[in-house]
C-alpha cells in the first residue's frame, strides 16, 4: 500500500512538473508572439506619412542702389507671383523606442519632427530696372529665399500641418490599440499612455 501511495505521489509530481513546464513554455511562446506582433506593427507604421497642399503668394520685390554719393539712384522692382506645391511629411522609420519583454512595456523615446518641403513655381511680372541696377542671379536667389520663408510661416499655421499631425496620431494610435489588446503598456518617455486621446494631448 505504501509503495502504491509513493508511486501515485511520484506520478502526481511528474504530471504536475510536466504540466508546469508545458504551461511555462506556452506562456513564453505567447509572450514572444506578442512582442513579434508589436514589432511588426511598429515596422508597419514606420513609413513616410505625406500630406500635400498648394499655396499661392504675391511678393513686391524692390532694390535701390545709390551711385556717386547718392546723386544717382538706380531702382529695380518686380511683382513676383508664386504657386507652390508643399509637402508636410513624417518619416516614421525614425521613431525611436525601447521594447521590454520582461515587463511588457513599449517606450517611445522619440517622435520625428515634421519635414516641410516647398517646391515653388516663381513667375516675374512688371519688371522695372535700369542699366546700373539690373536683375542678376543673386536677385533670383534672394527672391526664392524670401518666398520660401514666407511660405514656411504660412504652412506652419495652416490646416496642412494639422492634417499631417492627425495622420501621425492615427498611426501612433494603432500601436496603442495593439499593445493594449495584448496586455502591454505603452509609454511616451516617462508618461504612460492610458487611452487614444492621451497620444493627441502629448503631441500638442
Amino acid at each position: 500500500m505504501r509503495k502504491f501511495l509513493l508511486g501515485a505521489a511520484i506520478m502526481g509530481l511528474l504530471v504536475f512538473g510536466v504540466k508546469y513546464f508545458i504551461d511555462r513554455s506556452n506562456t513564453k511562446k505567447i509572450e514572444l508572439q506578442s512582442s513579434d506582433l508589436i514589432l511588426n506593427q511598429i515596422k508597419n507604421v514606420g513609413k513616410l506619412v505625406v500630406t500635400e497642399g498648394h499655396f499661392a503668394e504675391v511678393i513686391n520685390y524692390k532694390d535701390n542702389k545709390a551711385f556717386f554719393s547718392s546723386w544717382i539712384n538706380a531702382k529695380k522692382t518686380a511683382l513676383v507671383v508664386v504657386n507652390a506645391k508643399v509637402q508636410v511629411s513624417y518619416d516614421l522609420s525614425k521613431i525611436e523606442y525601447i521594447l521590454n519583454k520582461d515587463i511588457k512595456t513599449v517606450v517611445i523615446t522619440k517622435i520625428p519632427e515634421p519635414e516641410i518641403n516647398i517646391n515653388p513655381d516663381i513667375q516675374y511680372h512688371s519688371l522695372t530696372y535700369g542699366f546700373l541696377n539690373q536683375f542678376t542671379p543673386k536677385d533670383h536667389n534672394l527672391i526664392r529665399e524670401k518666398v520660401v520663408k514666407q511660405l514656411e510661416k504660412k504652412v506652419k499655421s495652416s490646416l496642412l500641418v494639422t492634417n499631417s499631425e492627425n495622420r501621425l496620431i492615427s498611426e501612433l494610435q494603432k500601436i496603442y490599440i495593439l499593445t493594449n489588446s495584448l496586455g502591454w503598456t505603452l509609454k511616451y518617455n516617462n508618461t504612460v499612455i492610458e487611452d487614444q486621446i492621451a497620444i493627441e494631448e502629448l503631441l500638442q
Side-chain angles (χ1 to χ4, degrees), residues 113-128:
E113 294 292 324
E115 300 172 8
I116 299 175
N117 181 27
I118 298 173
N119 184 21
D121 175 25
I122 301 173
Q123 297 181 0
Y124 297 90
H125 301 272
S126 304
L127 271 73
T128 59

Side-chain angles (χ1 to χ4, degrees), residues 66-201:
F67 298 92
F68 305 111
S69 300
S70 300
W71 280 41
I72 298 175
N73 288 317
K75 297 180 180 180
K76 61 184 171 188
T77 62
L79 181 67
V80 183
V81 178
V82 183
N83 287 291
K85 181 181 178 181
V86 180
Q87 290 184 338
V88 179
S89 60
Y90 287 91
D91 187 353
L92 300 185
S93 65
K94 294 179 181 178
I95 287 180
E96 296 179 7
Y97 62 92
I98 300 169
L99 189 147
N100 192 321
K101 298 176 185 177
D102 295 329
I103 57 174
K104 294 185 178 182
T105 301
V106 178
V107 182
I108 296 175
T109 58
K110 183 181 178 182
I111 296 172
E113 294 292 324
E115 300 172 8
I116 299 175
N117 181 27
I118 298 173
N119 184 21
D121 175 25
I122 301 173
Q123 297 181 0
Y124 297 90
H125 301 272
S126 304
L127 271 73
T128 59
Y129 56 90
F131 176 76
L132 295 175
N133 193 10
Q134 299 185 33
F135 278 91
T136 66
K138 184 179 178 180
D139 292 302
H140 296 298
N141 289 334
L142 288 172
I143 290 169
R144 184 181 177 86
E145 288 177 7
K146 186 176 181 180
V147 164
V148 170
K149 283 182 180 179
Q150 288 192 198
L151 284 173
E152 279 182 349
K153 289 181 181 178
K154 186 179 269 190
V155 171
K156 287 178 180 178
S157 60
S158 71
L159 287 175
L160 190 66
V161 170
T162 303
N163 293 338
S164 185
E165 287 176 351
N166 289 339
R167 291 187 64 185
L168 169 65
I169 290 167
S170 177
E171 295 298 325
L172 294 176
Q173 284 175 340
K174 292 177 184 178
I175 299 174
Y176 167 76
I177 291 169
L178 182 61
T179 53
N180 186 57
S181 66
L182 294 173
W184 285 55
T185 300
L186 179 64
K187 290 184 178 182
Y188 179 56
N189 289 324
N190 295 320
T191 304
V192 176
I193 308 298
E194 296 180 345
D195 52 45
Q196 296 184 54
I197 297 174
I199 295 174
E200 184 175 350
E201 293 174 347

